[in-house]
Amino acid sequence: MTLNRRRFLATSAAATGALALPTMALGQSGPIRMGSVLDVSGIFSAYGTPMDMAQRLAVAQINAEGGLLGREVEIIGFDTQSDMALYTQFAQRLVRQERVDVVQGGILSASREAIRQTLRRAETLYFYNVQYEGGVCDRNVFINGVTPAQQAEVLIPWAMSESGPRVYILAADYNYGQITARWIQKYVGDNGGETVGVDFFPLDVSDFGSTIARIQTVSPDLVVAPLVGGPHLSFFRQWAAAGMNERIPLASTTMGVGNEHRVLTPEEGNGIMVAYNYAQELDTPANNAFKEAWAEAYGDTNLIHEIAVSHYMGVKLWAEGVRQAGTTERMPVIEALEDNLSIEGPSGVMTIDPQTHHATLDVHLMRFEDQEMALVESLSQRPPVDTQAVCDLIANPDENTQFEIEI
Amino acid sequence: MDLSVVIVIEVLYAIASLALISAGLAVVFGMMKVINLAHGEFMVLGGYATITAVGLGVNIFVAMLVIAPIVVGLFGLVVERLVFRHLYGRMIDTMLASWGLSLMMIGGFKMIFGNTTTGVSGPIPGFSVGNYQVNGYNLFVIVVSVLLLVAMVAVLRGTRFGLVARGTMQRSDMAAAMGHSPDRVYMMTFALGSALAGLAGAVMAPLVGLVPTAGAAFIAKAFITVIAGGPVLVAGLASASGVFGLVNQVFSFLVSPVVGDVALLVAAVVLLRLVPRGITSRFFRGRI
């Protein structure tokens, strides 16, 4: 969008109007503007493209039901191209030029932290809808992805009981991987195990030969791999190519959220243990309806994955908040969401926890079998206890930190 | 004991993969002095050619060892005729043109194959060395690389084309006076270098996921290896790959892959300080 004189006059007039009449919401008559920043291309496109499809489906459904507050919802979406620098740029643009009512999006934790402060300063409500390392405590943000206490806390003991107590961790080298690795170490210790090695990999590393040899020198019982993005997928290929998949079991906190189990061959993927809030294989009426709607909109349902559904739920949570509040203004919507707002969707019931702005949700232990996720055990309505232990937005509404676990 | 065998295989694999990804550049840059910044994209093209051919039901070995080099070689031929032949001897112009070509190729890959990660699975099963498991594909890379170096020596030394090509690179006016067309020799040499790049990209494709921008990961290492190798083609390639592969892998193994890459770069800086014109400007002089 170029800033021509007419548009400049229009925006500045609107801005002056807003200053003069602070109670009047901007653009009351036009469509409600939902901003989004997602990596629809680049090395994280396997995550971002289905998320974008999911949000378009969610908004189409909302509009088909008559919109929100009688107004249509419009998506102002930017493709951040798997480039962290573009996040800040597009977030600025969403709040300054596009003046959106809410921002949905961000995939990697690095991208979330890149834009969180911008959105907070601009007083624009932000939904981050991806499983992550936990601990974000900010009243401007709502997060509905699984956190370590919801995921690793159950995944690790199960995986250890299927293998043994000596655990080796391979993690992506940025805030998500670093903090998640610490959580995994904690849960390994809590369950009487021992972490025998931790390695971190930059996101563009794709040769894991020496690492696979290194792992064998300490011969762990279990390898846990919170690896992220396309290049890291090579690890699972090379692991299987070395025949290690027959010898040492694998568990992962990220594998499969981007449908990696459908990219790998059955031999490469079989047996990998995971725990997520959603899988296509969940046989619930809500999920079947969701898959039908997706098939109608896009044809192929194969692309649906955990964080796409998470993102879909994020849009629906926000929409419900707007309905309850009767306005798109930030504070009333936050207060409506904080009223233990709850919705049911393809991934089950999701309830906002007012103390942390995280979500209480279902978690399913699963194992890859022939490019599908085979359900092992479902754990109902797990609260985000890790973040609850450090974050209380009711007592400290001005808190603005990401708490990290200490070991 | 088993561990040392595994480490030796990993080191040899690192050396072999460096030699493999640098071979095409050694011909194009080392011999012809053409700085082809699109070399990484030539490799990626080889990888995509393989993946596409495998998708069409071609045997993966045929796709890697035959189809990919032919496709990229032909592509190199076309590009040489259209772009590079007008720019021989003009280094900066060549760099600009090839950089533009690399951007165009990345854009083309994005349009055709999508801006996302694709890959094929390795065709060779792993095997065990005592208590350790080794990726069988690593051995394949080592074998391909050794055969490639042997073939390069054989062609450059044993064939008339090799002799004429070497002569043309040294004194093109003399080669012309002897009745050889430098234009055609350059064309063939460039196509050969491109084919080698295609082969390298094809062989690496099953190991690493391919994205349109993957070329950038290869090109830095390839240039460093060729420059550190110096003026002698095959011996330079082998010796520089040997030093860097060893350093990279030892540090990867002892510390982490990141430190391994750092160590490789440090080794390159130190090496170029000691022998600014490359290893073969001091050792192995006068060989091939």
Side-chain angles (χ1 to χ4, degrees), chain A residues 128-130 142-146 277 310-311 313-314 317 350 359 361:
Chain A
Y128 174 70
N129 308 313
V130 179
F142 286 89
I143 297 177
N144 72 1
V146 288
N277 172 231
S310 214
H311 199 62
M313 296 290 279
L317 274 170
M350 204 174 254
L361 38 73

Side-chain angles (χ1 to χ4, degrees), chain B residues 112-222:
Chain B
I112 299 168
F113 302 103
N115 192 356
T116 176
T117 313
T118 39
V120 284
S121 296
I124 298 172
F127 63 91
S128 22
V129 179
N131 286 323
Y132 292 90
Q133 283 284 331
V134 179
N135 187 346
Y137 199 75
N138 290 4
L139 285 186
F140 176 70
V141 173
I142 295 171
V143 170
V144 168
S145 197
V146 169
L147 289 180
L148 182 70
L149 291 185
V150 170
M152 280 170 81
V153 173
V155 168
L156 287 173
R157 243 195 176 159
T159 68
R160 184 145 187 88
F161 170 75
L163 185 70
V164 173
R166 282 190 292 148
T168 310
M169 299 312 150
Q170 282 176 10
R171 285 293 295 270
S172 62
D173 51 347
M174 284 306 287
M178 305 285 281
H180 299 286
S181 159
D183 188 54
R184 288 195 55 186
V185 174
Y186 276 121
M187 182 181 87
M188 291 310 294
T189 314
F190 191 91
L192 186 71
S194 308
L196 292 179
L199 174 72
V203 171
M204 300 308 284
L207 278 172
V208 298
L210 217 51
V211 280
T213 50
F218 298 124
I219 194 163
K221 280 183 183 172

Side-chain angles (χ1 to χ4, degrees), chain A residues 61-395:
Chain A
Q61 288 177 343
I62 293 166
N63 285 337
E65 291 160 9
L68 288 179
L69 318 174
R71 292 161 63 192
E72 200 171 314
V73 179
E74 178 190 14
I75 299 177
I76 320 285
F78 287 110
D79 174 11
T80 35
Q81 301 164 31
S82 306
D83 179 352
M84 294 305 134
L86 288 177
Y87 271 95
T88 40
Q89 191 181 323
F90 287 137
Q92 300 269 8
R93 190 154 146 188
L94 281 175
V95 296
R96 295 221 174 120
Q97 290 176 30
E98 307 290 349
R99 300 178 156 265
V100 294
D101 298 294
V102 63
V103 172
Q104 299 263 358
I107 301 179
L108 267 64
S109 290
S111 64
R112 180 198 64 239
E113 291 307 303
I115 63 176
R116 190 163 65 82
Q117 301 301 340
T118 305
L119 298 175
R120 181 182 167 93
R121 263 199 309 278
E123 302 196 338
T124 304
L125 188 58
Y126 175 35
F127 279 74
Y128 174 70
N129 308 313
V130 179
Q131 62 118 339
Y132 86 117
E133 68 282 1
V136 167
C137 193
D138 178 346
R139 201 165 174 220
N140 191 49
V141 181
F142 286 89
I143 297 177
N144 72 1
V146 288
T147 60
Q150 293 167 315
Q151 182 194 37
E153 191 181 14
V154 287
L155 174 65
I156 299 300
W158 171 53
M160 282 167 67
S161 73
E162 297 281 309
S163 52
R166 302 178 74 245
V167 178
Y168 203 105
I169 303 170
L170 305 174
D173 195 2
Y174 69 108
N175 52 356
Y176 171 74
Q178 295 274 357
I179 298 172
T180 304
R182 270 184 266 157
W183 278 107
I184 293 171
Q185 278 173 283
K186 172 183 152 50
Y187 293 129
V188 167
D190 288 355
N191 290 287
E194 180 196 357
T195 306
V196 292
V198 186
D199 278 334
F200 294 102
F201 302 92
L203 290 166
D204 57 355
V205 168
S206 58
D207 189 348
F208 292 88
S210 60
T211 307
I212 290 172
R214 241 160 85 92
I215 293 172
Q216 297 186 55
T217 60
V218 292
S219 60
D221 299 317
L222 171 71
V223 171
V224 184
L227 296 170
V228 175
H232 283 183
L233 193 56
S234 306
F235 167 75
F236 298 93
R237 289 211 171 92
Q238 290 164 19
W239 182 257
M244 292 301 296
N245 52 349
E246 314 271 306
R247 295 191 154 202
I248 302 177
L250 273 179
S252 175
T253 58
T254 48
M255 183 70 187
V257 292
N259 270 340
E260 290 90 342
H261 56 299
R262 288 171 197 273
V263 178
L264 294 179
T265 63
E267 298 74 47
E268 288 166 339
N270 278 353
I272 298 177
M273 293 172 273
V274 296
Y276 298 121
N277 172 231
Y278 175 82
Q280 280 193 31
E281 288 77 9
L282 293 179
D283 187 18
T284 61
N287 186 30
N288 291 335
F290 171 75
K291 286 200 284 191
E292 246 167 62
W294 183 289
E296 208 166 293
Y298 303 114
D300 184 10
T301 56
N302 265 329
L303 284 173
I304 303 172
H305 58 47
E306 204 239 10
I307 46 182
V309 172
S310 214
H311 199 62
Y312 174 89
M313 296 290 279
V315 175
K316 290 286 175 101
L317 274 170
W318 163 74
E320 193 54 36
V322 170
R323 275 193 208 108
Q324 300 289 335
T327 169
T328 58
E329 271 186 84
R330 187 177 78 118
M331 278 322 288
V333 174
I334 290 180
E335 278 153 17
L337 287 161
E338 280 174 345
D339 193 18
N340 286 307
L341 189 129
S342 182
I343 62 168
E344 193 181 350
S347 58
V349 174
M350 204 174 254
T351 309
I352 300 277
D353 170 44
Q355 186 195 327
T356 58
H357 281 202
H358 284 55
T360 299
L361 38 73
D362 295 343
V363 174
H364 310 281
L365 295 175
M366 292 170 290
R367 198 195 284 274
F368 291 177
E369 255 169 40
D370 295 330
Q371 302 187 306
E372 303 216 327
M373 295 201 191
L375 189 65
V376 175
E377 191 183 350
S378 289
L379 302 144
S380 178
Q381 297 299 298
R382 291 182 65 80
V385 288
D386 45 10
T387 313
Q388 280 172 342
V390 285
C391 173
D392 189 351
L393 289 167
I394 300 166

Side-chain angles (χ1 to χ4, degrees), chain B:
Chain B
M1 176 56 208
D2 303 338
L3 179 62
S4 51
V5 173
V6 171
I7 294 177
V8 167
I9 292 176
E10 287 294 328
V11 169
L12 285 179
Y13 159 72
I15 294 172
S17 61
L18 266 184
L20 193 60
I21 62 174
S22 314
L25 197 72
V27 171
V28 172
F29 174 61
M31 272 179 82
M32 302 174 67
K33 306 292 173 230
V34 171
I35 299 187
N36 179 13
L37 291 179
H39 181 76
E41 282 64 44
F42 279 42
M43 292 180 57
V44 176
L45 180 64
Y48 277 124
T50 308
I51 291 175
T52 310
V54 170
L56 294 174
V58 179
N59 177 293
I60 186 164
F61 290 104
V62 177
M64 283 193 300
L65 302 176
V66 181
I67 294 180
I70 291 177
V71 167
V72 184
L74 288 176
F75 180 79
L77 195 74
V78 172
V79 173
E80 199 269 348
R81 286 291 95 184
L82 293 177
V83 184
F84 287 99
R85 81 180 157 122
H86 305 292
L87 301 171
Y88 287 134
R90 291 155 60 186
M91 198 169 264
I92 301 289
D93 299 356
T94 319
M95 285 172 71
L96 271 179
S98 61
W99 189 41
L101 180 67
S102 99
L103 295 178
M104 263 176 60
M105 288 178 74
I106 293 172
F109 295 148
K110 284 183 183 171
M111 276 164 62
I112 299 168
F113 302 103
N115 192 356
T116 176
T117 313
T118 39
V120 284
S121 296
I124 298 172
F127 63 91
S128 22
V129 179
N131 286 323
Y132 292 90
Q133 283 284 331
V134 179
N135 187 346
Y137 199 75
N138 290 4
L139 285 186
F140 176 70
V141 173
I142 295 171
V143 170
V144 168
S145 197
V146 169
L147 289 180
L148 182 70
L149 291 185
V150 170
M152 280 170 81
V153 173
V155 168
L156 287 173
R157 243 195 176 159
T159 68
R160 184 145 187 88
F161 170 75
L163 185 70
V164 173
R166 282 190 292 148
T168 310
M169 299 312 150
Q170 282 176 10
R171 285 293 295 270
S172 62
D173 51 347
M174 284 306 287
M178 305 285 281
H180 299 286
S181 159
D183 188 54
R184 288 195 55 186
V185 174
Y186 276 121
M187 182 181 87
M188 291 310 294
T189 314
F190 191 91
L192 186 71
S194 308
L196 292 179
L199 174 72
V203 171
M204 300 308 284
L207 278 172
V208 298
L210 217 51
V211 280
T213 50
F218 298 124
I219 194 163
K221 280 183 183 172
F223 264 108
I224 291 169
T225 308
V226 173
I227 291 171
V232 184
L233 192 70
V234 179
L237 198 58
S239 54
S241 307
V243 171
F244 292 151
L246 181 68
V247 168
N248 183 342
Q249 215 54 16
V250 165
F251 280 89
S252 293
F253 194 77
L254 291 178
V255 193
S256 78
V258 185
V259 178
D261 275 352
V262 173
L264 188 156
L265 295 176
V266 172
V269 171
V270 172
L271 198 66
L272 286 176
R273 179 66 191 82
L274 295 176
V275 275
R277 289 170 182 279
I279 298 172
T280 52
S281 67
R282 186 162 299 172
F283 309 100
F284 311 110
R285 287 170 70 169
R287 306 280 184 85
I288 290 173

